[in-house]
Amino acid sequence: MFYKKEGLVELFLEFGSHSGPNIYICISWSGTLRHCRNRCCRPTAHYTFMNMKKDLLQTTLPPLPLNAWRETYATLHMWSQIVGKVALALMPPMNHFWYVALQIRSGGLSTLLLPHGNRMFTMTFDFVTHDLVVQSSDGAMEKIPLEPRSVKAFYEIVMDTLRRMGLETRIWPMPVEIPNPIRLDTDVTHHSYDPVTANTFWHILVTIKPVFEDFRTRFIGKSSPVHFFWGSFDLASTRFSGRRAPERPGADPITKEAYSHELISHGFWPGSGPIQEPAFYAYAAPEPAGFQDAAVQPRAAFYSKDLSEFILPYEAVRTSSSPEADLTAFLETTYNAGADLGKWDRANLERK
């Protein structure tokens, strides 16, 4: 129920259980603490809106050890490549492959609007209902349940669904950006799906995205959206200096396009290779001299010579007394180091 007095709005919440006393919470949007006017509040907790926001960030970052969902992660990675490759086949090219990245939505990960003839459609991994939802602009919609099944079977169902909906699309069925790839249309090795850990991963993405978005708003130069790349299976946001980067001899077309300009990139991924835990990362390309020795925050951050990136373990942020402040400090100090050492024109690239 709501109370209103002298322009102040308070939300009065009552929580109870069969085994314990009710707990009453008064939340004030006034910016000041207020005493609850209901005499039955025992005990009473008072929060301003900003305090509630900070508390929610601290309590909603769940643990997700890599070993707890390694097989689901591997399978979901391959499923996401199937969907991502549909976007790659249909979308007009955009710089740095931003057009194929998946978007973080309220319930999962979605493609951008994909053109097909005179129709548009989206493909969305819904990690609340656990479906892949294919929805077109003419109202047609089909759902493919996300459940344990091989990548091969998932590939066949997705392609059959697109054909049945009049959205047939041909893709190159070879995974990218992973060691020892197996063709998507023959892969029976990966077949796991745990809805709890899949939902936990999405929950992490949707919780940390606002921190990355806030960081992005402080930069007025060219920067990417905060989006999710299915090749590397990571959330990423990238800033650019505006200058061309040196050519990379022998680089493949993907690498040439991705690193055509000087950049500093930040992101989050579940872990792989030398980092066997979920982590935040930061790197500069090309990396300026002295970057790896820069002093960055928080204390848990370190430079990985194996990856040529700064790493901040997710668990260190999750268990911190101030997770948002620690993540923000990591984003800011790694950017500051890369931009200063790389001699970026910060006065004209940053919001004053």
Side-chain angles (χ1 to χ4, degrees), residues 39-190:
R39 294 180 180 178
C40 64
C41 291
R42 358 175 254 279
T44 302
H46 296 275
Y47 290 91
T48 64
F49 180 75
M50 289 306 297
N51 285 338
M52 182 177 68
K53 176 176 178 289
K54 292 177 182 177
D55 285 349
L56 285 173
L57 185 60
Q58 291 176 17
T59 58
T60 58
L61 284 175
L64 189 62
L66 183 55
N67 285 336
W69 80 307
R70 190 183 296 272
E71 297 305 319
T72 292
Y73 164 25
T75 302
L76 189 56
H77 189 180
M78 295 304 96
W79 290 355
S80 73
Q81 295 221 8
I82 295 170
V83 171
K85 283 173 174 284
V86 172
L88 181 64
L90 296 177
M91 288 287 283
M94 182 186 297
N95 48 268
H96 315 298
F97 298 100
W98 295 352
Y99 62 106
V100 301
L102 300 178
Q103 311 303 307
I104 301 169
R105 303 303 189 203
S106 58
L109 294 168
S110 177
T111 63
L112 294 169
L113 274 174
L114 307 178
H116 196 286
N118 61 355
R119 302 161 70 198
M120 304 289 286
F121 73 101
T122 57
M123 303 178 75
T124 302
F125 286 98
D126 190 320
F127 297 122
V128 177
T129 65
H130 300 286
D131 297 298
L132 176 67
V133 182
V134 184
Q135 187 167 17
S136 73
S137 55
D138 60 3
M141 181 177 71
E142 292 207 23
K143 296 182 178 181
I144 301 170
L146 300 180
E147 59 189 21
R149 69 171 98 236
S150 71
V151 173
K152 177 179 183 292
F154 189 78
Y155 174 90
E156 292 170 350
I157 294 171
V158 170
M159 293 298 114
D160 181 63
T161 299
L162 293 177
R163 279 193 296 271
R164 189 168 56 252
M165 296 179 71
L167 301 169
E168 183 172 5
T169 306
R170 297 183 62 183
I171 68 172
W172 181 49
M174 184 60 70
V176 296
E177 299 187 61
I178 61 167
N180 307 313
I182 305 170
R183 281 178 61 105
L184 299 167
D185 55 354
T186 64
D187 183 358
V188 294
T189 300
H190 303 107

Side-chain angles (χ1 to χ4, degrees), residues 296-319:
V296 303
Q297 297 175 10
R299 293 181 61 183
F302 64 94
Y303 185 84
S304 167
K305 292 187 177 180
D306 291 320
L307 298 176
S308 298
E309 298 176 1
F310 278 102
I311 298 296
L312 175 60
Y314 168 73
E315 191 67 10
V317 174
R318 190 185 76 81
T319 58

